[in-house]
Amino acid sequence: MRWILVASFLLLIVVSAPGRILRAIAAAQGKDPVHGPAYWACGAAVNAFVGLAGLYWQRYRARALQAKARRLRGECPLCGYNLTGNVSGTCPECGAPVLQRRKSIR
């Protein structure tokens, strides 16, 4: 989970870089870059987009990792029901289709 936080932080830095460049250009031209309404509206829109995209991405990855861990333990990826001995291919608890674990050749 730690890498998700690091990736979100790096994404925030990358997205905020154009705003920093525009501020530096405006400051070099002698203009005040932070008092225009367009500047604030653009910043608010970018921050809202990045924040919501980051939350969605973290939630999606957390669910995917949880489903993978459940599959490896022999549980239903949706509800977590123990599927030991189940040969029907569906979860008796929630009815989700379940992939059968392959038997090893060794």
Side-chain angles (χ1 to χ4, degrees), residues 6-37:
V6 171
S8 298
F9 180 71
L10 291 176
L11 179 66
L12 181 63
I13 290 172
V14 169
V15 169
S16 66
R20 292 180 188 172
I21 293 170
L22 290 174
R23 281 195 301 264
I25 291 171
Q29 294 174 350
K31 298 178 181 176
D32 189 12
V34 295
H35 286 100

PDB file of all heavy atoms in Angstrom, residues 6-37:
ATOM      1  N   VAL A   6       3.087   6.702  -2.581  1.00  0.00           N
ATOM      2  CA  VAL A   6       4.217   7.317  -3.272  1.00  0.00           C
ATOM      3  C   VAL A   6       3.825   7.679  -4.705  1.00  0.00           C
ATOM      4  O   VAL A   6       4.123   8.770  -5.186  1.00  0.00           O
ATOM      5  CB  VAL A   6       5.444   6.375  -3.254  1.00  0.00           C
ATOM      6  CG1 VAL A   6       6.552   6.904  -4.143  1.00  0.00           C
ATOM      7  CG2 VAL A   6       5.940   6.197  -1.830  1.00  0.00           C
ATOM      8  N   ALA A   7       3.138   6.773  -5.389  1.00  0.00           N
ATOM      9  CA  ALA A   7       2.716   7.042  -6.768  1.00  0.00           C
ATOM     10  C   ALA A   7       1.731   8.211  -6.813  1.00  0.00           C
ATOM     11  O   ALA A   7       1.804   9.052  -7.723  1.00  0.00           O
ATOM     12  CB  ALA A   7       2.096   5.793  -7.374  1.00  0.00           C
ATOM     13  N   SER A   8       0.825   8.293  -5.852  1.00  0.00           N
ATOM     14  CA  SER A   8      -0.133   9.403  -5.820  1.00  0.00           C
ATOM     15  C   SER A   8       0.587  10.727  -5.596  1.00  0.00           C
ATOM     16  O   SER A   8       0.267  11.737  -6.221  1.00  0.00           O
ATOM     17  CB  SER A   8      -1.159   9.186  -4.715  1.00  0.00           C
ATOM     18  OG  SER A   8      -1.884   8.021  -4.953  1.00  0.00           O
ATOM     19  N   PHE A   9       1.586  10.723  -4.718  1.00  0.00           N
ATOM     20  CA  PHE A   9       2.358  11.932  -4.455  1.00  0.00           C
ATOM     21  C   PHE A   9       3.127  12.367  -5.698  1.00  0.00           C
ATOM     22  O   PHE A   9       3.152  13.544  -6.047  1.00  0.00           O
ATOM     23  CB  PHE A   9       3.309  11.685  -3.281  1.00  0.00           C
ATOM     24  CG  PHE A   9       4.148  12.872  -2.932  1.00  0.00           C
ATOM     25  CD1 PHE A   9       3.576  13.977  -2.331  1.00  0.00           C
ATOM     26  CD2 PHE A   9       5.506  12.898  -3.219  1.00  0.00           C
ATOM     27  CE1 PHE A   9       4.349  15.078  -2.009  1.00  0.00           C
ATOM     28  CE2 PHE A   9       6.274  13.981  -2.899  1.00  0.00           C
ATOM     29  CZ  PHE A   9       5.694  15.084  -2.295  1.00  0.00           C
ATOM     30  N   LEU A  10       3.748  11.413  -6.391  1.00  0.00           N
ATOM     31  CA  LEU A  10       4.478  11.739  -7.616  1.00  0.00           C
ATOM     32  C   LEU A  10       3.538  12.263  -8.693  1.00  0.00           C
ATOM     33  O   LEU A  10       3.883  13.190  -9.430  1.00  0.00           O
ATOM     34  CB  LEU A  10       5.243  10.519  -8.115  1.00  0.00           C
ATOM     35  CG  LEU A  10       6.418  10.082  -7.249  1.00  0.00           C
ATOM     36  CD1 LEU A  10       7.035   8.804  -7.793  1.00  0.00           C
ATOM     37  CD2 LEU A  10       7.461  11.180  -7.155  1.00  0.00           C
ATOM     38  N   LEU A  11       2.347  11.702  -8.795  1.00  0.00           N
ATOM     39  CA  LEU A  11       1.360  12.181  -9.757  1.00  0.00           C
ATOM     40  C   LEU A  11       0.965  13.618  -9.439  1.00  0.00           C
ATOM     41  O   LEU A  11       0.848  14.451 -10.347  1.00  0.00           O
ATOM     42  CB  LEU A  11       0.129  11.279  -9.747  1.00  0.00           C
ATOM     43  CG  LEU A  11      -0.997  11.672 -10.689  1.00  0.00           C
ATOM     44  CD1 LEU A  11      -0.543  11.530 -12.134  1.00  0.00           C
ATOM     45  CD2 LEU A  11      -2.216  10.822 -10.441  1.00  0.00           C
ATOM     46  N   LEU A  12       0.798  13.930  -8.180  1.00  0.00           N
ATOM     47  CA  LEU A  12       0.458  15.288  -7.789  1.00  0.00           C
ATOM     48  C   LEU A  12       1.565  16.261  -8.171  1.00  0.00           C
ATOM     49  O   LEU A  12       1.302  17.355  -8.663  1.00  0.00           O
ATOM     50  CB  LEU A  12       0.193  15.349  -6.283  1.00  0.00           C
ATOM     51  CG  LEU A  12      -0.203  16.707  -5.718  1.00  0.00           C
ATOM     52  CD1 LEU A  12      -1.524  17.148  -6.327  1.00  0.00           C
ATOM     53  CD2 LEU A  12      -0.303  16.642  -4.223  1.00  0.00           C
ATOM     54  N   ILE A  13       2.815  15.862  -7.999  1.00  0.00           N
ATOM     55  CA  ILE A  13       3.940  16.722  -8.372  1.00  0.00           C
ATOM     56  C   ILE A  13       3.971  16.946  -9.878  1.00  0.00           C
ATOM     57  O   ILE A  13       4.164  18.063 -10.351  1.00  0.00           O
ATOM     58  CB  ILE A  13       5.265  16.114  -7.873  1.00  0.00           C
ATOM     59  CG1 ILE A  13       5.329  16.201  -6.347  1.00  0.00           C
ATOM     60  CG2 ILE A  13       6.455  16.821  -8.486  1.00  0.00           C
ATOM     61  CD1 ILE A  13       6.496  15.475  -5.754  1.00  0.00           C
ATOM     62  N   VAL A  14       3.768  15.889 -10.655  1.00  0.00           N
ATOM     63  CA  VAL A  14       3.804  16.005 -12.114  1.00  0.00           C
ATOM     64  C   VAL A  14       2.685  16.897 -12.622  1.00  0.00           C
ATOM     65  O   VAL A  14       2.876  17.717 -13.516  1.00  0.00           O
ATOM     66  CB  VAL A  14       3.736  14.603 -12.763  1.00  0.00           C
ATOM     67  CG1 VAL A  14       3.494  14.694 -14.248  1.00  0.00           C
ATOM     68  CG2 VAL A  14       5.014  13.834 -12.485  1.00  0.00           C
ATOM     69  N   VAL A  15       1.497  16.771 -12.044  1.00  0.00           N
ATOM     70  CA  VAL A  15       0.360  17.571 -12.496  1.00  0.00           C
ATOM     71  C   VAL A  15       0.525  19.032 -12.099  1.00  0.00           C
ATOM     72  O   VAL A  15       0.120  19.935 -12.830  1.00  0.00           O
ATOM     73  CB  VAL A  15      -0.959  16.983 -11.953  1.00  0.00           C
ATOM     74  CG1 VAL A  15      -2.117  17.918 -12.182  1.00  0.00           C
ATOM     75  CG2 VAL A  15      -1.226  15.652 -12.610  1.00  0.00           C
ATOM     76  N   SER A  16       1.149  19.290 -10.959  1.00  0.00           N
ATOM     77  CA  SER A  16       1.292  20.677 -10.518  1.00  0.00           C
ATOM     78  C   SER A  16       2.470  21.386 -11.176  1.00  0.00           C
ATOM     79  O   SER A  16       2.603  22.596 -11.043  1.00  0.00           O
ATOM     80  CB  SER A  16       1.438  20.733  -9.000  1.00  0.00           C
ATOM     81  OG  SER A  16       2.652  20.125  -8.608  1.00  0.00           O
ATOM     82  N   ALA A  17       3.320  20.660 -11.906  1.00  0.00           N
ATOM     83  CA  ALA A  17       4.483  21.279 -12.539  1.00  0.00           C
ATOM     84  C   ALA A  17       4.116  22.356 -13.556  1.00  0.00           C
ATOM     85  O   ALA A  17       4.752  23.418 -13.576  1.00  0.00           O
ATOM     86  CB  ALA A  17       5.359  20.208 -13.177  1.00  0.00           C
ATOM     87  N   PRO A  18       3.113  22.163 -14.439  1.00  0.00           N
ATOM     88  CA  PRO A  18       2.774  23.236 -15.391  1.00  0.00           C
ATOM     89  C   PRO A  18       2.362  24.539 -14.701  1.00  0.00           C
ATOM     90  O   PRO A  18       2.714  25.621 -15.168  1.00  0.00           O
ATOM     91  CB  PRO A  18       1.615  22.659 -16.195  1.00  0.00           C
ATOM     92  CG  PRO A  18       1.770  21.196 -16.084  1.00  0.00           C
ATOM     93  CD  PRO A  18       2.360  20.953 -14.734  1.00  0.00           C
ATOM     94  N   GLY A  19       1.651  24.450 -13.595  1.00  0.00           N
ATOM     95  CA  GLY A  19       1.278  25.654 -12.866  1.00  0.00           C
ATOM     96  C   GLY A  19       2.493  26.387 -12.326  1.00  0.00           C
ATOM     97  O   GLY A  19       2.564  27.620 -12.361  1.00  0.00           O
ATOM     98  N   ARG A  20       3.475  25.630 -11.868  1.00  0.00           N
ATOM     99  CA  ARG A  20       4.706  26.248 -11.374  1.00  0.00           C
ATOM    100  C   ARG A  20       5.458  26.936 -12.507  1.00  0.00           C
ATOM    101  O   ARG A  20       6.011  28.016 -12.338  1.00  0.00           O
ATOM    102  CB  ARG A  20       5.583  25.198 -10.713  1.00  0.00           C
ATOM    103  CG  ARG A  20       4.999  24.668  -9.446  1.00  0.00           C
ATOM    104  CD  ARG A  20       5.908  23.637  -8.841  1.00  0.00           C
ATOM    105  NE  ARG A  20       5.223  23.017  -7.718  1.00  0.00           N
ATOM    106  CZ  ARG A  20       5.676  21.981  -7.077  1.00  0.00           C
ATOM    107  NH1 ARG A  20       6.808  21.430  -7.434  1.00  0.00           N
ATOM    108  NH2 ARG A  20       5.006  21.477  -6.067  1.00  0.00           N
ATOM    109  N   ILE A  21       5.466  26.299 -13.668  1.00  0.00           N
ATOM    110  CA  ILE A  21       6.152  26.891 -14.824  1.00  0.00           C
ATOM    111  C   ILE A  21       5.451  28.182 -15.251  1.00  0.00           C
ATOM    112  O   ILE A  21       6.112  29.197 -15.519  1.00  0.00           O
ATOM    113  CB  ILE A  21       6.208  25.871 -15.983  1.00  0.00           C
ATOM    114  CG1 ILE A  21       7.119  24.712 -15.591  1.00  0.00           C
ATOM    115  CG2 ILE A  21       6.686  26.534 -17.266  1.00  0.00           C
ATOM    116  CD1 ILE A  21       7.067  23.536 -16.541  1.00  0.00           C
ATOM    117  N   LEU A  22       4.110  28.154 -15.283  1.00  0.00           N
ATOM    118  CA  LEU A  22       3.371  29.365 -15.657  1.00  0.00           C
ATOM    119  C   LEU A  22       3.599  30.491 -14.648  1.00  0.00           C
ATOM    120  O   LEU A  22       3.725  31.659 -15.032  1.00  0.00           O
ATOM    121  CB  LEU A  22       1.880  29.057 -15.777  1.00  0.00           C
ATOM    122  CG  LEU A  22       1.473  28.178 -16.964  1.00  0.00           C
ATOM    123  CD1 LEU A  22      -0.002  27.840 -16.887  1.00  0.00           C
ATOM    124  CD2 LEU A  22       1.810  28.853 -18.273  1.00  0.00           C
ATOM    125  N   ARG A  23       3.669  30.159 -13.368  1.00  0.00           N
ATOM    126  CA  ARG A  23       3.946  31.187 -12.358  1.00  0.00           C
ATOM    127  C   ARG A  23       5.329  31.777 -12.549  1.00  0.00           C
ATOM    128  O   ARG A  23       5.528  32.978 -12.410  1.00  0.00           O
ATOM    129  CB  ARG A  23       3.810  30.593 -10.964  1.00  0.00           C
ATOM    130  CG  ARG A  23       2.395  30.455 -10.499  1.00  0.00           C
ATOM    131  CD  ARG A  23       2.311  30.218  -9.000  1.00  0.00           C
ATOM    132  NE  ARG A  23       3.032  29.021  -8.599  1.00  0.00           N
ATOM    133  CZ  ARG A  23       2.481  27.817  -8.420  1.00  0.00           C
ATOM    134  NH1 ARG A  23       1.186  27.672  -8.601  1.00  0.00           N
ATOM    135  NH2 ARG A  23       3.192  26.789  -8.047  1.00  0.00           N
ATOM    136  N   ALA A  24       6.307  30.922 -12.883  1.00  0.00           N
ATOM    137  CA  ALA A  24       7.673  31.417 -13.078  1.00  0.00           C
ATOM    138  C   ALA A  24       7.747  32.328 -14.296  1.00  0.00           C
ATOM    139  O   ALA A  24       8.435  33.359 -14.275  1.00  0.00           O
ATOM    140  CB  ALA A  24       8.631  30.242 -13.232  1.00  0.00           C
ATOM    141  N   ILE A  25       7.036  31.979 -15.369  1.00  0.00           N
ATOM    142  CA  ILE A  25       7.028  32.820 -16.568  1.00  0.00           C
ATOM    143  C   ILE A  25       6.380  34.163 -16.275  1.00  0.00           C
ATOM    144  O   ILE A  25       6.898  35.223 -16.662  1.00  0.00           O
ATOM    145  CB  ILE A  25       6.308  32.095 -17.723  1.00  0.00           C
ATOM    146  CG1 ILE A  25       7.140  30.900 -18.198  1.00  0.00           C
ATOM    147  CG2 ILE A  25       6.039  33.050 -18.884  1.00  0.00           C
ATOM    148  CD1 ILE A  25       6.422  30.002 -19.177  1.00  0.00           C
ATOM    149  N   ALA A  26       5.249  34.161 -15.570  1.00  0.00           N
ATOM    150  CA  ALA A  26       4.561  35.406 -15.234  1.00  0.00           C
ATOM    151  C   ALA A  26       5.426  36.266 -14.319  1.00  0.00           C
ATOM    152  O   ALA A  26       5.482  37.495 -14.480  1.00  0.00           O
ATOM    153  CB  ALA A  26       3.221  35.109 -14.578  1.00  0.00           C
ATOM    154  N   ALA A  27       6.118  35.647 -13.380  1.00  0.00           N
ATOM    155  CA  ALA A  27       6.984  36.409 -12.485  1.00  0.00           C
ATOM    156  C   ALA A  27       8.160  37.008 -13.244  1.00  0.00           C
ATOM    157  O   ALA A  27       8.584  38.129 -12.965  1.00  0.00           O
ATOM    158  CB  ALA A  27       7.483  35.509 -11.360  1.00  0.00           C
ATOM    159  N   ALA A  28       8.688  36.283 -14.236  1.00  0.00           N
ATOM    160  CA  ALA A  28       9.798  36.799 -15.031  1.00  0.00           C
ATOM    161  C   ALA A  28       9.352  37.977 -15.891  1.00  0.00           C
ATOM    162  O   ALA A  28      10.154  38.863 -16.195  1.00  0.00           O
ATOM    163  CB  ALA A  28      10.363  35.689 -15.916  1.00  0.00           C
ATOM    164  N   GLN A  29       8.092  38.011 -16.280  1.00  0.00           N
ATOM    165  CA  GLN A  29       7.564  39.114 -17.084  1.00  0.00           C
ATOM    166  C   GLN A  29       7.110  40.282 -16.216  1.00  0.00           C
ATOM    167  O   GLN A  29       6.655  41.288 -16.731  1.00  0.00           O
ATOM    168  CB  GLN A  29       6.394  38.632 -17.935  1.00  0.00           C
ATOM    169  CG  GLN A  29       6.776  37.628 -18.990  1.00  0.00           C
ATOM    170  CD  GLN A  29       5.570  37.066 -19.722  1.00  0.00           C
ATOM    171  OE1 GLN A  29       4.431  37.285 -19.329  1.00  0.00           O
ATOM    172  NE2 GLN A  29       5.838  36.341 -20.794  1.00  0.00           N
ATOM    173  N   GLY A  30       7.214  40.130 -14.911  1.00  0.00           N
ATOM    174  CA  GLY A  30       6.825  41.209 -14.004  1.00  0.00           C
ATOM    175  C   GLY A  30       5.349  41.264 -13.702  1.00  0.00           C
ATOM    176  O   GLY A  30       4.855  42.247 -13.180  1.00  0.00           O
ATOM    177  N   LYS A  31       4.622  40.226 -14.015  1.00  0.00           N
ATOM    178  CA  LYS A  31       3.184  40.186 -13.741  1.00  0.00           C
ATOM    179  C   LYS A  31       2.928  39.451 -12.431  1.00  0.00           C
ATOM    180  O   LYS A  31       3.734  38.661 -11.981  1.00  0.00           O
ATOM    181  CB  LYS A  31       2.448  39.464 -14.876  1.00  0.00           C
ATOM    182  CG  LYS A  31       2.571  40.148 -16.215  1.00  0.00           C
ATOM    183  CD  LYS A  31       1.865  39.355 -17.269  1.00  0.00           C
ATOM    184  CE  LYS A  31       2.000  40.009 -18.640  1.00  0.00           C
ATOM    185  NZ  LYS A  31       1.395  39.197 -19.691  1.00  0.00           N
ATOM    186  N   ASP A  32       1.777  39.719 -11.853  1.00  0.00           N
ATOM    187  CA  ASP A  32       1.378  39.034 -10.634  1.00  0.00           C
ATOM    188  C   ASP A  32       0.571  37.789 -11.030  1.00  0.00           C
ATOM    189  O   ASP A  32      -0.562  37.917 -11.489  1.00  0.00           O
ATOM    190  CB  ASP A  32       0.549  39.958  -9.756  1.00  0.00           C
ATOM    191  CG  ASP A  32       0.281  39.367  -8.385  1.00  0.00           C
ATOM    192  OD1 ASP A  32       0.924  38.353  -8.057  1.00  0.00           O
ATOM    193  OD2 ASP A  32      -0.553  39.916  -7.655  1.00  0.00           O
ATOM    194  N   PRO A  33       1.123  36.587 -10.876  1.00  0.00           N
ATOM    195  CA  PRO A  33       0.466  35.392 -11.414  1.00  0.00           C
ATOM    196  C   PRO A  33      -0.674  34.829 -10.577  1.00  0.00           C
ATOM    197  O   PRO A  33      -1.405  33.980 -11.046  1.00  0.00           O
ATOM    198  CB  PRO A  33       1.605  34.386 -11.488  1.00  0.00           C
ATOM    199  CG  PRO A  33       2.510  34.784 -10.377  1.00  0.00           C
ATOM    200  CD  PRO A  33       2.412  36.281 -10.293  1.00  0.00           C
ATOM    201  N   VAL A  34      -0.843  35.269  -9.339  1.00  0.00           N
ATOM    202  CA  VAL A  34      -1.786  34.573  -8.463  1.00  0.00           C
ATOM    203  C   VAL A  34      -3.089  35.329  -8.198  1.00  0.00           C
ATOM    204  O   VAL A  34      -3.881  34.901  -7.388  1.00  0.00           O
ATOM    205  CB  VAL A  34      -1.130  34.232  -7.107  1.00  0.00           C
ATOM    206  CG1 VAL A  34      -0.016  33.261  -7.295  1.00  0.00           C
ATOM    207  CG2 VAL A  34      -0.665  35.487  -6.407  1.00  0.00           C
ATOM    208  N   HIS A  35      -3.317  36.443  -8.869  1.00  0.00           N
ATOM    209  CA  HIS A  35      -4.531  37.201  -8.568  1.00  0.00           C
ATOM    210  C   HIS A  35      -5.589  37.143  -9.657  1.00  0.00           C
ATOM    211  O   HIS A  35      -6.589  37.838  -9.579  1.00  0.00           O
ATOM    212  CB  HIS A  35      -4.188  38.672  -8.256  1.00  0.00           C
ATOM    213  CG  HIS A  35      -3.563  38.819  -6.918  1.00  0.00           C
ATOM    214  ND1 HIS A  35      -2.198  38.942  -6.763  1.00  0.00           N
ATOM    215  CD2 HIS A  35      -4.081  38.816  -5.680  1.00  0.00           C
ATOM    216  CE1 HIS A  35      -1.916  39.030  -5.475  1.00  0.00           C
ATOM    217  NE2 HIS A  35      -3.047  38.959  -4.791  1.00  0.00           N
ATOM    218  N   GLY A  36      -5.404  36.318 -10.658  1.00  0.00           N
ATOM    219  CA  GLY A  36      -6.407  36.210 -11.710  1.00  0.00           C
ATOM    220  C   GLY A  36      -7.415  35.115 -11.391  1.00  0.00           C
ATOM    221  O   GLY A  36      -7.064  34.056 -10.870  1.00  0.00           O
ATOM    222  N   PRO A  37      -8.696  35.324 -11.685  1.00  0.00           N
ATOM    223  CA  PRO A  37      -9.704  34.296 -11.406  1.00  0.00           C
ATOM    224  C   PRO A  37      -9.502  33.029 -12.228  1.00  0.00           C
ATOM    225  O   PRO A  37      -9.816  31.934 -11.774  1.00  0.00           O
ATOM    226  CB  PRO A  37     -11.024  34.971 -11.740  1.00  0.00           C
ATOM    227  CG  PRO A  37     -10.677  36.126 -12.601  1.00  0.00           C
ATOM    228  CD  PRO A  37      -9.279  36.533 -12.244  1.00  0.00           C
TER     229      PRO A  37
END
